[in-house]
Amino acid sequence: MTITAALLIAGIMMVALNAYVLLAGADFGGGVWDFLARGPRRKEQRDLISHALAPIWEANHVWLILVIVMLFTCFPTAFSTIAIMLHIPLTLMLLGIVLRGSAFIFRSYGSDQDAPQQRWGRVFAIASIVTPVLLGMCVGAVATGAVGGTTLTASGSFADHFVKPWLTLFGVGVGLLALALFSFLAAVYLTVEAHGTELQEEFRQRALWAAGAVFVIAFGVLAVSWSEAPMVREMLMTGPWALPFQIVTGFAAIAAIAALWTHHYRLARIAAAAQVSFILWGWAAAQYPYVLPPSLTIGAAAAPERTLVLVLWALALGACVLFPSLYYLFRVFKMRRES
Amino acid sequence: MRDLLAARSQMGVSLAFHIIFAVVGIGMPALMVIAEHRWRRTGDAGYLELAKRWSKGTAILFAVGAVSGTVLSFELGLLWPDFMRVAGPIVGMPFSLEGFAFFTEAIFLGIYLYGWDRISPRAHVLAGVVVAASGAVSGIFVVIANAWMNTPRGFTLVDGKFTNIDPLAAMMTPAAFPQTLHMTLAAYAATGFAVAGIHAVMLLRDPRNAFHRRALTIALLIGAPAALIQPLSGDIEARYVAQQQPAKLAAMEGHFHTMRGAPLSVGGFASEDEQRTKYAIEIPHGLSLLAFHELDAEVKGLDAFPRDEWPPVAIVHLAFDTMVGLGSLMALVSAVVLFMFWRKRDIIKERWVMIAVVLCAPMGFLCIEAGWVVTEVGRQPWVIYGILRTADAVTPMPGLIVPFLTFTALYCFLGVIVALLLYQHVLRSPREDETLPRQARAA
Ligand code: HDD
Ligand code: HEM
Ligand code: HEM
């Protein structure tokens, strides 16, 4: 594996996607727990969630925009193929993103009365559940090679071209996995946010349940991949990266559960984030060297060298502004309780 | 063809919706920072109340701007995959830089809105300044991308293949400076007058209200200078269009026949069938003078172009006249207002000035919508001027009428809700317990 500019950028895109999943993913998960708020303290649960989200959710979601922009600048063929084949799930996902963001802000700034409050809360929660499932389905469709492998022909039907590539059992499985992972992350983060209150225990239990769900769904997806996504299974089971990735992912998962079990919340947060990141990178490694399996490689999809080099400079420059700002944001809002 | 029309309409609706919030995202942070700065300087709590209220309005509008902008970045591919395949590597650069500007804006807005009692006063004002600056920078980058579509540069076209790609040259196109200047001024003019108009309504009812008086002054100090020089920057734009996109200029002016010493047609209806602009006021030599600053310059008419390269003339001409007409009115009102500020006259006592300010409230936004119709519809049938036709860029996905209608309905719905919320927050008279959003109050 020689490091080319294209590969470097693909790696940075994965880092940005990773950040999106760890940060915005947890925001979606927050919506799930808003939906599932139960018991005598459900109002406190909801308040904790929206309190945790409010200052950071907009910044978190810019990561996705960064990924998209890098995709169309540096891998334009991949972007346009994805945009054609996944038109329907992407459009639905956008509707989810719009409704979620607006509902959240309308709820925070809306009237003090309960009825509209609850209505916006509902919209926020449902959009938080639907959007990650669709995101996962899109990833699943890319991974199976259906997006890169389907060509538009005169004889193919609308369903053959625009529905079947993504609406598969495997795709739904990946969607549910994304939902479970995001909920897990959110619950773990919220145990830290809820420091010193009764809510901490409630979110600890939720986190453990979510970890169980992740476990079950992950095996379900693996089972389905046997018949539906042989390429993915092949790479996950026998590729050169397969074993090390499975070991570290499994280790992180066990560490997260053990830390939750023993009330080491800060540690659980790190382990959970590591687990989710390993799964993501496992997908990337399984798919390497393709951007769009089965045939479009990173090298073949890449934009001209000059564009790539300039984008790398832009990223370096941007990072100098971004990371100090992000550090400041999180220091102001997230590290307070820890000091 | 029906799908193409649906795709164009969806793009137009999404952008027309987004631009409102984007413009507010550029203008409002400036207003709120000035208000806070005054409060820190004078200790006058009225300014604090103003800063907090304005920042609440900004929070609502910014969120809608952020989600509608996300839709747009996907839509570029969902609707125009072949455009992006070609344009991505050439013009992705400003979009990438814009991404970081968004980050900065979103991060510091979070800090500003929720950090009132968490960071030092100076850091808080500074956070607001960063929001205002990065908002303007975001706008500038995306308009640079649009300028490239109008005056594509930075590549060589060999047998339909784009080679020699130079993304930096693609950012420095002839349209870039005129468009970014004009757009940035437009953002301040439109936001400033919209806010001023709202508070002027309240002052007409209750002239002694100090809260609205402060708001009016700050808003006019931002809006009026921008609106005053907007015709000048518009002139710079028109001259680049005359040079680089003569067919667009001809459509804007409803100018059908190539001639020297061309007259300027103001108003009227540009009829493509009859090839003339009916019922217009004609100013002799006006067009030659404005477009090239020469009485007898030759101005190409639409007859210089094949019929299939004409943009929809009637719409472009009407939109252009709307922008220039309303823009001239705003400039006039601005001149009066600034003159009165200079002479230290109290404009609140001059009822007719106040009424004029109220009337100007929606005009900036109308100008912005009309201006973008001129730019975008006037570029048709091209998506990349002279290079790629819109019809060749559209996605092969059928049934585009469905997403078009869905997004249109969604945006109408959101528009209504936002208007209601703003009414609650900005217009209603202040109540003590309302100065912070719910989460911050709980904190
Ligand atoms: C407050 C808003 C506002 C006001 C008062 C004006 N404009 Fe404008 N105009 C815009 C807001 C705008 C805009 C929405 O921002 C556009 C669309 C694209 C752009 O760069 O700016 C625009 C575009 C635009 C174009 C098209 C450029 C192109 O196709 O690239 C021209 C020729 C002018 N303007 C000229 C004028 C003139 C002569 C004005 C005199 C009063 C004027 N504008 C007032
Ligand atoms: C925000 C203000 C803008 C508004 C209100 C606006 C409006 C419109 C409208 C009305 C159309 C349809 C034109 C037609 O088909 O007749 C359109 C098309 C389009 N716009 Fe814009 N536009 C804006 C800015 C931009 C920017 C900044 C970009 C890109 C960087 C852009 C990219 C496009 C593309 C790709 C199309 C489709 C192809 C085409 O019709 O040329 N627009 N826009
Ligand atoms: C094709 C055209 C466009 C695309 C793809 C686009 C994309 C986006 C995206 C993704 C965001 C969200 C950023 C966030 O999450 O904070 C956004 C917000 C913003 N956009 Fe656009 N945009 C377009 C047109 C424009 C135009 C013409 C302007 C003009 C001045 C503009 C100015 C802004 C500003 C200032 C923001 C900051 C957030 C806000 O105030 O709402 N955009 N845009």
Side-chain angles (χ1 to χ4, degrees):
Chain A
M1 179 158 80
T2 48
I3 303 287
T4 57
L7 187 62
L8 203 56
I9 290 184
I12 297 173
M13 277 171 63
M14 279 307 294
V15 172
L17 195 62
N18 198 340
Y20 180 69
V21 164
L22 291 185
L23 297 165
D27 295 355
F28 285 115
V32 175
W33 298 121
D34 181 294
F35 185 76
L36 294 176
R38 290 286 179 282
R41 274 182 296 279
R42 61 177 176 276
K43 172 141 187 1
E44 284 80 1
Q45 291 170 7
R46 292 205 165 109
D47 284 349
L48 177 72
I49 293 166
S50 67
H51 199 129
L53 286 188
I56 54 170
W57 72 273
E58 268 166 314
N60 288 349
H61 113 161
V62 184
W63 289 105
L64 179 65
I65 295 162
L66 198 63
V67 173
I68 291 301
V69 167
M70 285 167 72
L71 186 65
F72 70 59
T73 310
C74 302
F75 303 101
T77 334
F79 176 71
S80 72
T81 309
I82 290 174
I84 293 171
M85 307 309 297
L86 298 179
H87 190 112
I88 297 173
L90 286 175
T91 301
L92 294 174
M93 191 179 101
L94 287 176
L95 292 174
I97 288 178
V98 171
L99 282 173
R100 199 183 107 87
S102 333
F104 183 74
I105 203 82
F106 294 165
R107 182 175 66 169
S108 309
Y109 287 90
S111 79
D112 284 322
Q113 286 155 1
D114 277 346
Q117 278 280 309
Q118 272 173 8
R119 230 173 297 135
W120 289 123
R122 268 291 126 118
V123 176
F124 166 68
I126 292 173
S128 298
I129 294 172
V130 175
T131 313
V133 175
L134 288 161
L135 183 68
M137 287 173 87
C138 293
V139 170
V142 169
T144 56
V147 173
T150 310
T151 38
L152 301 181
T153 55
S155 59
S157 68
F158 179 81
D160 288 338
H161 291 156
F162 300 108
V163 180
K164 282 187 189 152
W166 53 274
L167 195 59
T168 59
L169 199 57
F170 180 75
V172 175
V174 178
L176 291 176
L177 182 63
L179 184 64
L181 285 170
F182 291 176
S183 313
F184 173 58
L185 278 180
V188 174
Y189 294 176
L190 286 166
T191 60
V192 181
E193 296 271 333
H195 185 66
T197 66
E198 291 143 319
L199 293 176
Q200 192 167 35
E201 178 56 26
E202 295 181 356
F203 280 110
R204 171 175 167 264
Q205 281 166 17
R206 283 168 168 73
L208 286 168
W209 279 110
V214 168
F215 194 72
V216 173
I217 296 173
F219 273 93
V221 170
L222 198 64
V224 173
S225 75
W226 224 260
S227 58
E228 289 211 9
M231 258 170 37
V232 184
R233 183 204 61 213
E234 186 79 2
M235 289 187 269
L236 278 180
M237 305 297 288
T238 59
W241 303 97
L243 198 61
F245 263 112
Q246 281 167 15
I247 292 176
V248 290
T249 312
F251 182 75
I254 293 168
I257 292 179
L260 280 173
W261 205 270
T262 57
H263 303 266
H264 289 86
Y265 298 111
R266 217 77 58 68
L267 190 68
R269 182 165 68 177
I270 294 171
Q275 178 191 351
V276 174
S277 309
F278 285 137
I279 294 177
L280 197 70
W281 284 89
W283 161 55
Q287 200 170 293
Y288 179 82
Y290 300 106
V291 214
L292 285 186
S295 54
L296 189 65
T297 60
I298 294 176
E305 191 72 12
R306 180 151 169 78
T307 302
L308 300 180
V309 171
L310 279 169
V311 168
L312 281 173
W313 278 108
L315 289 171
L317 205 77
C320 297
V321 181
L322 173 62
F323 288 114
S325 313
L326 268 184
Y327 172 75
Y328 186 51
L329 177 75
F330 281 87
R331 207 193 61 192
V332 170
F333 294 105
K334 297 291 163 192
M335 289 194 192
R336 214 183 186 207
R337 290 184 194 79
E338 293 167 30
S339 55
Chain B
M1 190 59 202
R2 287 256 293 286
D3 276 324
L4 175 60
L5 192 63
R8 285 167 60 177
S9 313
Q10 184 177 338
M11 194 74 200
V13 166
S14 308
L15 280 156
F17 185 77
H18 176 68
I19 191 73
I20 297 173
F21 300 90
V23 160
V24 171
I26 297 171
M28 277 315 283
L31 294 184
M32 84 200 174
V33 163
I34 295 177
E36 185 187 348
H37 181 75
R38 294 240 172 132
W39 167 63
R40 305 260 184 215
R41 270 289 158 82
T42 62
D44 174 345
Y47 283 118
L48 174 63
E49 170 67 26
L50 196 56
K52 290 206 166 172
R53 281 225 197 177
W54 276 347
S55 68
K56 255 192 289 188
T58 308
I60 298 169
L61 293 161
F62 185 88
V64 180
V67 291
S68 62
T70 310
V71 172
L72 275 176
S73 34
F74 279 88
E75 262 175 359
L76 285 174
L78 291 175
L79 299 174
W80 318 103
D82 286 315
F83 164 65
M84 289 314 283
R85 195 200 310 270
V86 173
I90 310 175
V91 82
M93 211 37 202
F95 282 110
S96 313
L97 294 168
E98 190 198 17
F100 289 102
F102 287 152
F103 257 127
T104 319
E105 194 179 5
I107 289 172
F108 284 92
L109 188 69
I111 292 173
Y112 189 87
L113 292 178
Y114 298 95
W116 282 94
D117 49 5
R118 292 190 179 218
I119 55 179
S120 71
R122 179 188 291 212
H124 195 258
V125 174
L126 214 62
V129 172
V130 174
V131 177
S134 51
V137 173
S138 319
I140 288 174
F141 281 130
V142 77
V143 172
I144 286 178
N146 182 265
W148 177 83
M149 296 162 64
N150 284 330
T151 50
R153 296 289 187 283
F155 59 89
T156 328
L157 196 60
V158 187
D159 300 332
K161 288 236 180 314
F162 290 75
T163 54
N164 257 333
I165 286 175
D166 181 358
L168 288 183
M171 287 178 70
M172 288 176 273
T173 61
F177 174 70
Q179 274 197 258
T180 49
L181 175 69
H182 194 58
M183 179 71 236
T184 311
L185 288 173
Y188 294 117
T191 325
F193 267 99
V195 173
I198 290 170
H199 291 282
V201 170
M202 308 310 277
L203 282 167
L204 280 172
R205 288 198 208 141
D206 175 12
R208 259 183 284 277
N209 187 317
F211 175 77
H212 293 298
R213 171 188 290 266
R214 294 185 187 96
L216 181 77
T217 314
I218 296 180
L220 282 177
L221 278 178
I222 290 279
L228 186 65
I229 44 182
Q230 192 65 327
L232 265 178
S233 79
D235 176 60
I236 300 176
E237 277 237 54
R239 276 190 296 142
Y240 111 75
V241 176
Q243 277 181 7
Q244 303 286 338
Q245 297 178 286
K248 184 191 269 182
L249 184 84
M252 277 158 42
E253 307 288 2
H255 178 57
F256 287 91
H257 304 288
T258 306
M259 63 171 85
R260 298 191 158 278
L264 183 71
S265 309
V266 179
F269 169 76
S271 162
E272 285 182 38
D273 296 332
E274 294 177 38
Q275 307 228 348
R276 65 191 188 92
T277 299
K278 295 186 282 191
Y279 322 117
I281 304 166
E282 293 211 342
I283 300 169
H285 298 276
L287 182 52
S288 294
L289 189 65
L290 280 180
F292 295 100
H293 289 195
E294 248 178 73
L295 273 179
D296 285 314
E298 182 184 86
V299 184
K300 276 197 185 142
L302 284 159
D303 60 2
F305 305 91
R307 193 65 197 252
D308 74 339
E309 286 182 17
W310 289 18
V313 184
I315 300 176
V316 177
H317 180 61
L318 179 69
F320 186 64
D321 278 355
T322 306
M323 169 172 63
V324 176
L326 297 180
S328 308
L329 281 175
M330 286 174 75
L332 191 71
V333 175
S334 301
V336 172
V337 164
L338 290 175
F339 178 78
M340 292 178 69
F341 277 165
W342 178 52
R343 304 306 296 262
K344 302 226 164 12
R345 300 241 306 265
D346 186 1
I347 67 166
I348 294 166
K349 296 210 183 93
E350 310 286 343
R351 206 175 156 77
W352 57 273
V353 180
M354 292 294 281
I355 291 175
V357 170
V358 172
L359 291 178
C360 282
M363 283 187 193
F365 284 94
L366 290 175
C367 280
I368 286 177
E369 300 288 356
W372 279 105
V373 170
V374 172
T375 309
E376 301 290 306
V377 181
R379 194 182 56 239
Q380 301 306 315
W382 307 100
V383 56
I384 307 173
Y385 188 71
I387 307 277
L388 180 69
R389 280 178 188 259
T390 312
D392 298 329
V394 71
T395 179
M397 159 96 190
L400 292 177
I401 186 88
V402 178
F404 163 53
L405 293 179
T406 313
F407 276 103
T408 308
L410 178 65
Y411 285 154
C412 290
F413 170 69
L414 290 183
V416 172
I417 307 275
V418 169
L420 286 176
L421 283 183
L422 287 184
Y423 173 77
Q424 278 179 2
H425 282 293
V426 185
L427 276 187
R428 236 184 29 194
S429 287
R431 230 173 53 200
E432 274 317 299
D433 59 329
E434 291 189 321
T435 45
L436 284 174
R438 186 164 296 108
Q439 290 94 16
R441 252 182 281 151

